[in-house]
Amino acid sequence: MYEPIRTKSVHSMAEPKPDFPHRSREEELDIRLAGHLTALLTVTDELRTLTPDPALDDAAQRLAEQATRLRDGHAPLRAAPTAAATDPAHIAALHQRAHTLAGWALVVATSRDDTAATTLAAERMRSHATALGLAA
């Protein structure tokens, strides 16, 4: 009727120390935040090409500094922006994308308690909201 299990449990056969590294929550948040800031930097660089502005230059520099800090001193790769047509709809779409990325960065930076990144992300959100006519 009842036959005992003769093989070892899969759980008991598992190695006490896995053969792959695990990251802490803080490390995962650092990686995610650096990714959002790098993506925001890419969109900012594209906007700098299409609509030159010293404020965008400053924002790009600050974004690169924060991404470098979060990546243990490794600077983010920066794509060379293409000189596309200055179609207002394309520029508005870039501002919308940048606003979304800044929002994602703000959420992660806030959960990480990173004051510098939180401030920068909030400033970028406000700036892109103003460019889109969303700010009051």
Side-chain angles (χ1 to χ4, degrees), residues 4-17:
I5 297 173
R6 295 183 181 152
T7 60
K8 288 186 173 185
S9 165
V10 174
H11 301 289
S12 67
M13 293 188 323
E15 295 178 28
K17 226 177 167 186

Side-chain angles (χ1 to χ4, degrees), residues 50 82-88 90-91:
L50 298 174
T82 58
T86 56
D87 177 26
H90 178 65
I91 293 172

Side-chain angles (χ1 to χ4, degrees), residues 109-130:
T110 301
S111 69
R112 204 181 154 271
D113 290 330
D114 188 331
T115 307
T118 300
T119 303
L120 179 58
E123 287 173 7
R124 298 315 311 146
M125 272 190 77
R126 194 171 21 257
S127 172
H128 294 294
T130 301

